[in-house]
Amino acid sequence: HRVDRRQRQMCIRDRLKGNVKETAGNLTEDKNLEKDGKNDKNEGKAKEFVDQTADKAKEVINKFNKN
């Protein structure tokens, strides 16, 4: 589960980094920085979704194997 925790932390870090870049881009009117921030944030969200889906799949497999 150590890997799972580390992966979740990386997802959160990507989302936070994206928020900071997007906000900085908005404040400085730097559209490239804003776009990079949105991309980082979306990457973090996508990774998090994949991790959650994998966790659910593991749960289903474990329940199936018990029966």
Side-chain angles (χ1 to χ4, degrees):
H1 299 265
R2 187 176 190 198
V3 173
D4 294 338
R5 180 183 295 158
R6 190 170 186 189
Q7 287 174 330
R8 284 184 190 11
Q9 289 172 344
M10 289 175 63
C11 294
I12 292 169
R13 186 194 70 210
D14 287 345
R15 288 175 45 207
L16 290 173
K17 179 176 72 171
N19 282 335
V20 170
K21 282 184 176 180
E22 185 178 4
T23 301
N26 283 331
L27 291 173
T28 61
E29 297 181 2
D30 183 340
K31 295 297 178 189
N32 288 328
L33 185 59
E34 183 181 349
K35 185 173 121 180
D36 286 345
K38 286 180 182 181
N39 288 338
D40 287 345
K41 190 167 56 171
N42 288 333
E43 183 178 330
K45 287 179 182 180
K47 287 178 184 177
E48 188 173 22
F49 176 77
V50 168
D51 288 344
Q52 289 173 351
T53 303
D55 289 344
K56 291 293 181 187
K58 288 176 191 175
E59 288 176 20
V60 170
I61 290 169
N62 287 338
K63 285 181 183 180
F64 181 74
N65 287 335
K66 287 180 181 179
N67 293 333

